[in-house]
Amino acid sequence: MLDLNHVSKTFNPGTVNEKKALSDLDLHLREGDFVTVIGGNGAGKSTMLNAVAGVWPVDGGSIVIDGHDVTGLPEYRRAAFIGRVFQDPMMGTAPSMQIEENLALAYRRGRRRGLSWGVTRAERELYRQKLHTLGLGLEDRMTVKVGLLSGGQRQALTLLMAALQKPKLLLLDEHTAALDPATAAKVLELSDRIVADSGLTALMITHNMKDAITHGNRLIMMNEGRIILDIRGEEKKKLTKADLLQKFAEVSGVQEESDQVLLS
Amino acid sequence: MSAAAYFAALNPANLFRAMPGNAAQGIVWGLMALGVYLTFRVLDIADLTVDGSFTTGGACAVMMILAGRPAWAALLVSLAAGLAAGLVTGLLHTRLGIPAILAGILTQFSLWSVNLRIMKAAANQAVSVDKFGMFYKATRGRGFLLSSRFVPQAIGVGLALAGAMIAVLYWYFGTEQGSAIRATGNNPAMSRAQGINIDSMKVLGLAVSNGLVALSGGLMAQFQGYADINMGRGSIVIGLAAVIIGEVLCDAVFRRGANFAVRLGFIVLGGVIYYLVVGVVLWLKLPTNDLKLFTAVVVALFLAVPYLQKKSKSSFRQAGRAAAKKEAASRA
Ligand SMILES: Nc1ncnc2c1ncn2[C@@H]1O[C@H](COP(=O)(O)OP(=O)(O)OP(=O)(O)O)[C@@H](O)[C@H]1O
Ligand SMILES: [Mg+2]
């Protein structure tokens, strides 16, 4: 479903701030893969997701989504294939627009936006049902401006928006990091449900190793712009936090306090 | 002059006589303010093109009428010229990466020359309603739509046009495309992630906004019977004043938020109120040379209100004072 072939990206090349953020990265996801991504700060996790989303062009390599080579497409044209939830709950929604208007924007992702109504009556019914599944009571507040919602409610809404037009790929970048533990757990559970219900292919970055182990069917660890560990299926089910810490120490050569490196 | 003599010289009848004309002019500026609202509030861009495109609209309208074309057709040309001006600003901004405010200034600057060319190198071109007639009066629909010589009609036509414009904008910003423009101004990152080409939306929004502004310029030229190379100078500030007056009123009347069309209606009302206030200032024989200073101060104050309100709730100075007080108390 997703193929990253020898993707590389260097920020600020030729300056003192030169930073090789992705080096010769290879990653291949099958349809329905739910991959959790871990790694220390600056390992290149977000950069990988941004490369897939098309936030900027990559320096080398190719990105193929479901057989479409999207390497040369700008972000807004790749959006047809991709649903995204950001770390910052403010990022994923338009605060001065109503809940239903936000959903309607997401509903038209990947379609031409013409001069027919921005939200139709039939859609409203669909949105009401979808919002009902969140269990947050938002279905009764569809004309409320999103700016009035809490961070957790917004992340839940953003998730719904990301999956409204079934994307080929769902990208989650620490999307629960800004939430309190209880809300984070709820949003994570919701993510699981949405991925399972629609059979989505997903990449989820997290700094919580427990979450990385318990969610998804595959786990990758990144370091210095590369994937240094890739565990799937049965092997992943048996994985423990201690295993991960040890593997991280082995592969990266970092011996002490690796726990903090990963969790920071 | 003593105070008594000053007040004795003020004749309220004069004020009332001037009011309808000021109101009519205010409606035209209110229409112009709708364009400013589109960029300033909807797109979140401060677009300075308008000072030039307002004059462009006036110049086009006058030259078309002088060339014997119907006044309504002249307005369409004004509209098209404004769309083009906005397009240029939009392309300078999105294709060439020039900051929006500078892009607007560049276009505005260049429009000075363009406007002079349109007006055949004259700084002022007059069209007389006596010569071309009113729309309905024996001109077979070719004459002026509004004129300062026929104030009640001007108010009627102005209101009808404002109503039609608001209806069109309400419809457009309710469509998929209009929603995409609103989203672009509201959260560009989210808009891109939802597949919206935000560069195109900005260009489109700037074009529509300047189209409206130029159309108002064309109406103003008809109303006053001439186009002047300086007629648009400072129109961004007048537009902002109308937007701010309208919004403050709208929020005061509808505390729980108003429908988009109602909001736009209040913006037009803001233009009317601005011109009525200007009328009072003129009537009071206050120095009119200070009018721009006065307007700028009022606009600056109102623009600052949201910021100052926030600051009055929490500021470093307050926090520092509170901490110092506590410290002093604990020492005593
Ligand atoms: N837009 C950018 N411009 C310059 N440097 C960047 C940019 N984005 C990322 N980097 C750099 O690339 C490296 C990888 O960053 P990235 O954000 O991918 O890390 P990460 O794995 O997501 O880390 P974290 O866990 O802290 O989010 C870092 O050194 C970062 O400073
Ligand atoms: Mg990151």
Side-chain angles (χ1 to χ4, degrees):
Chain A
M1 188 52 91
L2 171 69
D3 295 287
L4 297 179
N5 305 308
H6 306 286
V7 170
S8 59
K9 178 73 189 178
T10 301
F11 288 111
N12 308 312
T15 72
V16 285
N17 291 323
E18 180 167 307
K19 172 77 203 171
K20 203 166 172 60
L22 294 180
S23 49
D24 200 28
L25 185 78
D26 256 305
L27 178 66
H28 305 277
L29 304 195
R30 285 200 216 112
E31 182 162 5
D33 268 352
F34 183 178
V35 183
T36 56
V37 185
I38 57 173
N41 288 124
K45 306 181 295 294
S46 299
T47 306
M48 176 173 77
L49 257 56
N50 288 340
V52 173
V55 175
W56 23 250
V58 295
D59 300 335
S62 68
I63 299 165
V64 180
I65 300 175
D66 195 24
H68 303 270
D69 188 332
V70 298
T71 320
L73 296 186
E75 186 177 1
Y76 77 90
R77 291 191 54 198
R78 290 188 204 186
F81 305 110
I82 297 171
R84 259 159 102 199
V85 184
F86 307 91
Q87 177 174 353
D88 181 355
M90 305 294 169
M91 278 269 279
T93 45
S96 324
M97 296 175 76
Q98 302 168 353
I99 293 179
E100 61 177 34
E101 288 177 327
N102 271 273
L103 284 161
L105 285 169
Y107 192 59
R108 286 160 180 74
R109 192 176 59 228
R111 299 194 192 166
R112 226 184 64 83
R113 286 165 212 264
L115 294 178
S116 45
W117 278 115
V119 193
T120 65
R121 193 171 305 219
E123 281 169 50
R124 283 204 182 93
E125 205 35 55
L126 173 74
Y127 302 157
R128 198 181 301 282
Q129 287 166 12
K130 294 271 184 188
L131 285 168
H132 184 73
T133 64
L134 297 183
L136 297 171
L138 296 181
E139 64 275 16
D140 300 322
R141 304 172 61 193
M142 291 200 350
T143 55
V144 164
K145 301 242 161 88
V146 171
L148 298 174
L149 303 185
S150 72
Q153 289 173 328
R154 280 198 214 183
Q155 281 311 63
L157 178 62
T158 311
L159 255 174
L160 201 61
M161 287 164 59
L164 198 54
Q165 276 297 340
K166 187 183 169 184
K168 302 277 183 211
L169 206 57
L170 179 65
L171 304 178
L172 309 169
D173 188 350
E174 296 186 52
H175 68 306
T176 60
L179 308 177
D180 69 66
T183 313
K186 260 194 219 146
V187 169
L188 209 53
E189 190 245 282
L190 178 68
S191 318
D192 263 348
R193 210 170 69 212
I194 285 179
V195 169
D197 286 355
S198 315
L200 299 179
T201 310
L203 274 165
M204 178 173 90
I205 299 178
T206 176
H207 276 288
N208 185 320
M209 276 200 281
K210 201 176 118 280
D211 290 342
I213 293 169
T214 50
H215 296 266
N217 65 339
R218 187 173 164 190
L219 179 151
I220 61 178
M221 185 188 284
M222 290 187 70
N223 190 43
E224 293 180 352
R226 291 171 206 276
I227 293 168
I228 56 170
L229 194 67
D230 189 342
I231 300 172
R232 54 186 106 187
E234 287 306 309
E235 199 187 345
K236 173 165 181 293
K237 282 187 191 143
K238 284 182 260 150
L239 207 59
T240 66
K241 209 165 135 179
D243 291 342
L244 273 185
L245 288 175
Q246 201 210 335
K247 297 237 177 184
F248 184 69
E250 265 171 34
V251 187
S252 68
V254 180
Q255 290 304 322
E256 81 254 41
E257 303 300 327
S258 43
D259 193 11
Q260 272 162 18
V261 174
L262 275 166
L263 291 174
S264 57
Chain B
M1 188 164 59
S2 74
Y6 170 71
F7 282 112
L10 296 179
N11 182 357
N14 286 340
L15 178 61
F16 283 112
R17 214 172 302 133
M19 255 162 110
N22 290 333
Q25 205 166 345
I27 294 171
V28 176
W29 281 105
L31 279 175
M32 183 270 170
L34 290 180
V36 172
Y37 180 81
L38 292 188
T39 46
F40 187 64
R41 287 294 189 224
V42 177
L43 268 187
D44 199 18
I45 289 176
D47 175 33
L48 299 185
T49 316
V50 294
D51 279 27
S53 55
F54 189 78
T55 310
T56 307
C60 287
V62 165
M63 297 317 283
M64 283 290 288
I65 294 170
L66 285 176
R69 309 279 170 204
W72 58 265
L75 284 180
L76 290 184
V77 173
S78 299
L79 175 72
L83 288 171
L87 191 73
V88 170
T89 300
L91 292 178
L92 285 174
H93 173 47
T94 59
R95 293 279 184 277
L96 303 181
I98 298 169
I101 197 149
L102 261 180
I105 290 175
L106 284 175
T107 311
Q108 183 213 111
F109 193 67
S110 69
L111 280 177
W112 174 275
S113 308
V114 175
N115 293 340
L116 275 176
R117 274 188 184 272
I118 296 172
M119 300 205 289
K120 305 235 163 74
N124 192 303
Q125 288 277 6
V127 281
S128 156
V129 70
D130 295 332
K131 189 162 162 215
F132 295 93
M134 285 297 280
F135 188 67
Y136 57 89
K137 266 192 192 158
T139 55
R140 282 189 237 112
R142 295 175 68 86
F144 283 26
L145 293 182
L146 73 187
S147 164
S148 57
R149 301 269 304 283
F150 302 90
V151 169
Q153 289 95 312
I155 291 179
V157 171
L159 286 179
L161 279 174
M165 213 56 83
I166 289 171
V168 169
L169 290 175
Y170 180 73
W171 164 76
Y172 182 62
F173 284 95
T175 65
E176 297 177 333
Q177 203 172 75
S179 301
I181 295 180
R182 282 191 294 146
T184 298
N186 207 217
N187 185 345
M190 171 267 197
S191 303
R192 272 195 306 262
Q194 297 302 345
I196 294 168
N197 183 350
I198 66 167
D199 283 352
S200 302
M201 293 304 120
K202 285 184 190 171
V203 174
L204 205 56
L206 282 164
V208 171
S209 161
N210 280 286
L212 245 173
V213 169
L215 181 73
S216 318
L219 287 171
M220 184 54 73
Q222 291 190 27
F223 181 79
Q224 60 193 15
Y226 62 86
D228 182 286
I229 190 71
N230 285 322
M231 67 187 277
R233 182 177 282 178
S235 51
I236 178 71
V237 182
I238 298 175
L240 281 177
V243 167
I244 289 163
I245 295 170
E247 284 188 329
V248 167
L249 279 178
C250 184
D251 290 339
V253 176
F254 297 93
R255 286 170 186 281
R256 307 191 55 218
N259 165 299
F260 187 61
V262 172
R263 220 171 167 72
L264 294 180
F266 269 93
I267 306 286
V268 176
L269 181 64
V272 174
I273 291 176
Y274 175 81
Y275 259 83
L276 290 180
V277 171
V278 169
V280 171
V281 169
L282 294 178
W283 176 71
L284 287 172
K285 302 203 174 70
L286 297 178
T288 49
N289 287 343
D290 294 340
L291 195 61
K292 290 196 171 167
L293 176 64
F294 173 74
T295 304
V297 169
V298 169
V299 170
L301 276 179
F302 276 99
L303 285 178
V305 163
Y307 174 75
L308 294 178
Q309 263 174 349
K310 205 168 96 198
K311 232 177 137 188
S312 74
K313 286 192 196 111
S314 90
S315 76
F316 285 112
R317 192 191 295 213
Q318 275 181 359
R321 264 203 220 124
K325 221 190 224 167
K326 209 166 178 193
E327 171 80 16
S330 72
R331 236 184 266 146

